[in-house]
């Protein structure tokens, strides 16, 4: 008997439960049917689904049901993603709300903290799959996977070790986007560029051996001058031809730094002379590599001044250090002028703080080598862009692709399968036991 009022929440639950129980959504790989598969882009276990998920999953559900009705062996593979930074932040916020002063993850230690994260995953992941069922998503639920499942974790370790042995994964000291609040490297996609009203400070550096002659540089970040290792001028800038190869004295620090000729210096911008801080600016880093410059890191992980700067600055927050540098330049008569300056600042999209380019040891993937087959596929017409003009954007990105930083300084997520010895050896292996065998063999060889 039909109810007087149609209640979709009751009707949909009943029919969906019947469909799922009957195996209507199940794939049958042993059958003779032609397979059709969609891998569900795994939603993060950080909360609830949103409208974007609803749109994406509706389109996938339409496709999978259509192919299923055509008689194909249709698999919609479900899963959820551990979402390292986002999930760790959610759990840390929950802990911070406990008790009068809150709890920090460092109070718990890694093992206890991860127990809390797994508890959250069980709660949040369950909510997500419940929501997908309520949307009517016809996924093959018994096959559901999670990116931190043991099987998938093992696959991550295996692929990492394989790529390392092929030379496609390596450890290097390079600049990364460093989040001084989350204390981790983050990707370019996790950095938001925000417009800001700042200033351009014109600082005068005394030329060595030439009394009363100065080389003026313009900067939006005066505090980084503590780590300067050169000043760059354009090789064709007539104003500075006689200074190329000579030195200036870095104020406050007293360090001799060379004047180098590099196309990066734009004669039309600022004074035409650019202070080079290779450890704290991505462009300066490339200039530093071209000229073999020293790379001096002046920040710690909290973006406070470290021991590589003069004693009076150590421990200062970056913005307090900025104030002190400006005041000292002014007192020395070396602050030429200050201009208002519109610019963009990089913010961490989750922490909300300004990200610092920071020189640190990280693990990288050789994206340039890995990009070559993908580039060739488009060049040979095996992959086609519609409309065709997007090929140019694709080529520009892929042909100029940079090393991909794949490591993070997080407690939640896949750990890099590398072990470190007291003598500086690094041993990459799928298990601790395999790494130990490598380390013992290395130690034996060293003794010989």
């Amino acid at each position: 008997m039909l109810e007087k009022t149609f209640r979709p929440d009751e009707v949909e639950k009943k029919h969906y439960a019947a469909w799922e129980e009957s195996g209507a959504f199940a794939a049958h790989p042993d059958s003779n049917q032609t397979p059709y598969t969609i891998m569900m882009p795994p939603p993060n276990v950080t909360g609830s689904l949103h409208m974007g998920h609803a749109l994406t999953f509706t389109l996938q559900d339409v496709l999978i049901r259509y192919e299923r009705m055509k008689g194909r062996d249709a698999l919609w593979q479900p899963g959820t993603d551990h979402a390292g930074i986002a999930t760790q932040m959610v759990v840390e916020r929950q802990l911070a709300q406990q008790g009068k002063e809150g709890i920090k993850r460092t109070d718990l230690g890694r093992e206890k903290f991860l127990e809390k994260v797994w508890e959250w995953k069980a709660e949040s992941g369950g909510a997500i799959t419940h929501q997908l069922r309520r949307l009517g998503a016809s996924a093959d639920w018994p096959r559901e996977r999670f990116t931190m499942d043991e099987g998938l974790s093992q696959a991550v370790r295996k692929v990492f070790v394989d790529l390392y042995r092929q030379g496609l994964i390596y450890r290097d000291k390079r600049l990364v986007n460093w989040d001084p609040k989350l204390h981790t490297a983050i990707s370019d996609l996790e950095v938001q560029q925000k417009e800001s009203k700042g200033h351009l400070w014109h600082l005068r550096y005394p030329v060595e051996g030439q009394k009363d002659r100065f080389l003026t540089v313009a900067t939006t970040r005066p505090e980084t001058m503590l780590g300067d290792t050169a000043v760059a001028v354009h090789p064709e800038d007539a104003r500075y031809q006689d200074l190329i190869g000579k030195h200036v004295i870095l104020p406050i620090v007293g360090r001799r730094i060379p004047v180098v000729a590099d196309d990066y210096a734009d004669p039309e911008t600022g004074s035409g002379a650019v202070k080079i801080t290779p450890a704290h600016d991505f462009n300066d880093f490339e200039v530093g590599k071209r000229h073999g410059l020293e790379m001096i890191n002046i920040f710690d992980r909290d973006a406070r001044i470290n021991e590589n700067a003069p004693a009076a600055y150590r421990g200062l927050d970056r913005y307090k250090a900025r104030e002190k540098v400006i005041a000292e330049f002014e007192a020395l008569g070396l602050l030429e002028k200050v201009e208002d300056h519109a610019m963009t600042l990089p913010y961490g999209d989750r922490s909300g703080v300004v990200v610092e380019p920071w020189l640190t040891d990280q693990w990288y993937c050789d994206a340039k080598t890995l990009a070559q087959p993908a580039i060739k596929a488009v060049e040979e017409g095996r992959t086609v862009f519609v409309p065709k003009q997007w090929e140019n954007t694709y080529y520009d990105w892929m042909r100029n692709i940079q090393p991909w930083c794949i490591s993070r300084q997080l407690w939640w997520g896949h750990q890099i399968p590398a072990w470190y010895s007291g003598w500086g050896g690094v041993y990459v292996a799928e298990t601790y036991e395999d790494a130990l065998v490598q380390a013992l063999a290395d130690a034996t060889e060293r003794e010989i």
Side-chain angles (χ1 to χ4, degrees):
M1 179 178 176
L2 290 175
E3 295 289 339
K4 180 179 178 181
T5 304
F6 177 66
R7 295 184 174 84
D9 58 329
E10 296 179 2
V11 175
E12 290 172 359
K13 282 181 183 178
K14 179 178 69 175
H15 286 301
Y16 189 93
W19 291 338
E20 187 175 356
E21 189 176 340
S22 69
F25 308 149
H28 303 282
D30 296 330
S31 71
N32 294 323
Q33 295 173 302
T34 304
Y36 179 83
T37 303
I38 294 178
M39 301 299 294
M40 179 183 291
N44 297 341
V45 290
T46 50
S48 301
L49 300 182
H50 51 65
M51 191 61 72
H53 290 116
L55 173 62
T56 301
F57 294 137
T58 297
L59 294 175
Q60 291 178 31
D61 197 29
V62 168
L63 290 170
I64 208 78
R65 286 176 182 269
Y66 175 68
E67 296 297 338
R68 190 182 287 131
M69 288 191 293
K70 284 173 62 179
R72 298 182 71 174
D73 182 33
L75 167 63
W76 190 10
Q77 172 65 54
T80 49
D81 186 1
H82 65 282
I85 296 178
T87 302
Q88 180 164 312
M89 282 188 65
V90 168
V91 177
E92 286 195 78
R93 280 198 297 267
Q94 292 176 342
L95 292 172
Q97 295 170 0
Q98 296 181 18
K100 290 184 178 180
E101 298 182 359
I103 302 173
K104 297 179 181 179
R105 62 184 168 93
T106 50
D107 297 332
L108 295 177
R110 182 169 189 148
E111 187 176 338
K112 292 292 183 183
F113 176 75
L114 290 181
E115 288 178 7
K116 294 292 184 182
V117 182
W118 278 106
E119 289 173 8
W120 167 251
K121 182 269 172 184
E123 177 185 337
S124 177
I128 286 172
T129 55
H130 172 74
Q131 286 179 303
L132 285 170
R133 285 177 165 91
R134 291 292 290 116
L135 285 172
S138 60
D140 192 347
W141 292 111
R143 296 178 185 272
E144 181 187 351
R145 301 300 299 271
F146 174 56
T147 50
M148 290 285 287
D149 286 347
E150 179 50 40
L152 295 183
S153 294
Q154 184 177 351
V156 168
R157 292 192 294 270
K158 175 174 172 46
V159 170
F160 187 101
V161 172
D162 287 348
L163 291 176
Y164 175 79
R165 289 173 178 167
Q166 295 172 46
L168 295 172
I169 282 180
Y170 57 94
R171 196 164 182 253
D172 196 8
K173 186 182 287 289
R174 294 177 59 90
L175 284 189
V176 295
N177 298 308
W178 182 261
D179 191 310
K181 181 178 179 181
L182 299 181
H183 294 152
T184 183
I186 60 177
S187 73
D188 291 345
L189 294 176
E190 294 163 315
V191 177
Q192 292 181 332
Q193 299 292 339
K194 296 183 180 181
E195 292 185 1
S196 176
K197 293 181 179 179
H199 296 90
L200 196 62
W201 286 271
H202 292 251
L203 310 177
R204 304 168 74 197
Y205 291 4
V207 175
E208 183 183 46
Q210 298 187 35
K211 187 179 179 182
D212 298 327
R213 188 177 181 187
F214 303 90
L215 188 54
T216 299
V217 299
T219 180
T220 59
R221 303 168 68 209
E223 67 280 7
T224 63
M225 60 78 51
L226 299 171
D228 282 0
T229 56
V231 172
V233 298
H234 194 277
E236 297 177 4
D237 193 334
R239 293 172 294 177
Y240 306 122
Q241 287 294 303
D242 66 317
L243 289 179
I244 295 173
K246 293 185 169 60
H247 291 77
V248 295
I249 304 301
L250 187 62
I252 300 173
V253 180
R255 183 167 54 242
R256 292 174 73 246
I257 59 176
V259 179
V260 299
D262 196 282
D263 290 339
Y264 170 60
D266 182 358
E268 304 299 323
T269 301
S271 65
V274 184
K275 59 185 287 300
I276 302 298
T277 317
H280 297 290
D281 182 275
F282 289 101
N283 291 316
D284 292 6
F285 179 77
E286 296 301 325
V287 175
K289 286 200 300 181
R290 287 196 288 272
H291 296 276
L293 300 177
E294 186 179 4
M295 299 192 180
I296 302 174
N297 188 351
I298 61 161
F299 288 137
D300 64 14
R301 68 175 196 158
D302 296 309
R304 293 180 177 276
I305 304 299
N306 65 19
E307 69 281 357
N308 293 328
Y313 286 83
R314 294 171 192 170
L316 289 181
D317 171 79
R318 52 185 162 172
Y319 299 118
K320 291 293 183 183
R322 175 179 299 181
E323 293 174 6
K324 188 173 177 63
V325 165
I326 294 167
E328 195 158 353
F329 262 83
E330 194 166 16
L332 292 169
L334 298 177
L335 179 61
E336 186 171 294
K337 61 179 178 178
V338 183
E339 298 175 314
D340 292 336
H341 184 71
M343 58 184 180
T344 58
L345 290 177
Y347 283 81
D349 66 348
R350 292 189 176 90
S351 68
V353 302
V354 175
V355 170
E356 281 292 340
W358 200 47
L359 187 65
T360 181
D361 292 308
Q362 301 286 343
W363 288 90
Y364 291 88
C365 192
D366 182 359
K368 193 172 187 65
T369 298
L370 292 173
Q372 298 313 305
I375 294 172
K376 193 174 181 180
V378 178
E379 290 174 338
E380 296 177 351
R382 290 180 282 117
T383 299
V384 178
F385 278 88
V386 180
K388 188 175 178 59
Q389 66 257 29
W390 284 103
E391 280 186 8
N392 294 328
T393 302
Y394 175 79
Y395 286 139
D396 182 64
W397 177 48
M398 296 291 277
R399 288 170 178 163
N400 295 290
I401 200 164
Q402 296 296 307
W404 174 24
C405 177
I406 57 176
S407 50
R408 299 290 183 270
Q409 288 63 53
L410 300 170
W411 283 4
W412 171 245
H414 298 289
Q415 287 186 271
I416 298 291
W419 286 263
Y420 305 87
S421 70
W423 56 78
V426 181
Y427 305 96
V428 175
E430 291 184 46
T431 65
Y432 169 73
E433 290 73 22
D434 289 345
L436 186 59
V437 169
Q438 293 180 32
L440 291 174
D442 189 15
T444 301
E445 195 171 305
R446 284 168 177 270
E447 289 176 3
I448 293 173

